[in-house]
Each structure stands twice: as structure tokens, then as C-alpha cells.
Amino acid sequence: AEGAIPSSPVLDTARALVQIGDSTYAVTMIPVVIDTNVFVAGLRSGGGASRAVLRRVLGGSLQPLFGNALWMEYQDLLNRPVWGDATTTDERQSVLAALAKQGRWVTVYYGWRPNLPDEGDNHLIELALAGGAQAIVTHNLRDLRGGELQLGSLRVMTPAQCLEEWK
């Protein structure tokens, strides 16, 4: 059909998992903020922890939180030359749309700045706190754990740690 998105292993997995996530059984979704570096790693590799985190989102066990700043960062990444030949722009857009379908939009009313050494990462902390996230999933532990504020029960973890925590 005209305008249909072509089939690929990445999209077939996303479609199958979304269908599972749309089932009528009850699941407890764990709210998390997924840094864009996990999204990129998950789509660039054929396997690995980042891909498994994306699959857990699509399967309905993790609920990604989205806010204006993070959503704009995701959108900006879609056409950047960081992808290689792993996926097409249409495939990346489709997977992001499937993630958004599973996610929850959060409005951030209060800024917690300055907090982190890299100003560009503060929006992740703000989103996580505003949305009640249990964790920020990232490959950038050093910068996100180096903040000035004590963040209570909010954890910063790698994709592998996330998978181990919520088996």
C-alpha cells in the first residue's frame, strides 16, 4: 500500500511486541526515563541490553516518560548521521512512535538547575522527578550521578542494570 512502512527485523519485532502490549492482560509498568543514547544503541545493535530495554518497553513492562526536552532530543536524533546502515529514518520513526504509544507524557513545571556538570542532561533529572520515574536508564552514568542534589529513591542505571533489576 502507498505510504506503508516496509518490513524489517527491527519493525517486525516492534510490531509484534506492541501487539502483545495491547493485549487485555494487566501489567504493572515501571516508569523510567530512557536516555537517547539507549535508544540509539538499541537500534544500532542486533542485540544487547539496550535493545532488550526497548523490547521491554514495547512489551509493556517498562513505561517510558517523555517531556518536551527529551522528545525534541529524540526527534533531532532521527536524521543525524549516527546510525550507520542499521536502520532507515522511517524505521527509527516507527519504533519511536511505538515507544511513545507505550509511554506517558509528563509536563515539567519545576527546574532543578544547576545540578549536573553537563547542563544538557538536567532535563532528564527534571523529567524523572516530575513523572515519578523509578530510574533513568542511560550509558552516561558518570555525568548523571555527578549532580549536586540528593535525588531520593531515583536511580541512574545502565540498560544491563535495568534488566537485572526488573527481570
Side-chain angles (χ1 to χ4, degrees):
E2 185 176 335
I5 298 170
S7 181
S8 76
V10 170
L11 289 179
D12 291 344
T13 299
R15 285 185 188 114
L17 289 171
V18 169
Q19 183 61 47
I20 291 169
D22 287 343
S23 296
T24 56
Y25 60 87
V27 291
T28 301
M29 296 176 70
I30 300 162
V32 296
V33 172
I34 299 176
D35 197 354
T36 53
N37 57 42
V38 175
F39 178 68
V40 171
L43 292 182
R44 285 190 63 168
S45 67
S50 293
R51 174 72 63 101
V53 166
L54 297 181
R55 285 184 172 149
R56 294 250 178 112
V57 168
L58 296 171
S61 62
L62 296 175
Q63 179 183 48
L65 303 180
F66 295 102
N68 287 338
L70 183 59
W71 187 256
M72 295 306 293
E73 197 173 312
Y74 273 110
Q75 290 294 317
D76 183 52
L77 272 173
L78 292 176
N79 294 313
R80 279 195 196 165
V82 298
W83 300 97
D85 296 330
T87 59
T88 67
T89 300
D90 286 342
E91 290 171 335
R92 293 188 293 272
Q93 289 174 337
S94 294
V95 173
L96 184 56
L99 292 174
K101 184 177 181 181
Q102 295 294 99
R104 179 167 47 97
W105 193 266
V106 175
T107 301
V108 177
Y109 292 103
Y110 186 79
W112 293 87
R113 297 175 189 209
N115 179 41
L116 299 174
D118 181 353
E119 172 61 28
D121 290 331
N122 278 319
H123 72 95
L124 297 171
I125 299 289
E126 294 165 353
L127 175 61
L129 292 174
Q134 291 192 25
I136 297 173
V137 183
T138 183
H139 289 290
N140 188 10
L141 295 179
R142 184 176 46 115
D143 286 349
L144 286 171
R145 286 183 176 163
E148 300 168 354
L149 300 174
Q150 297 294 322
L151 302 174
S153 63
L154 176 64
R155 295 182 304 180
V156 178
M157 58 180 57
T158 65
Q161 291 168 330
C162 174
L163 296 171
E164 182 63 29
E165 179 70 23
W166 295 298
K167 294 180 180 179

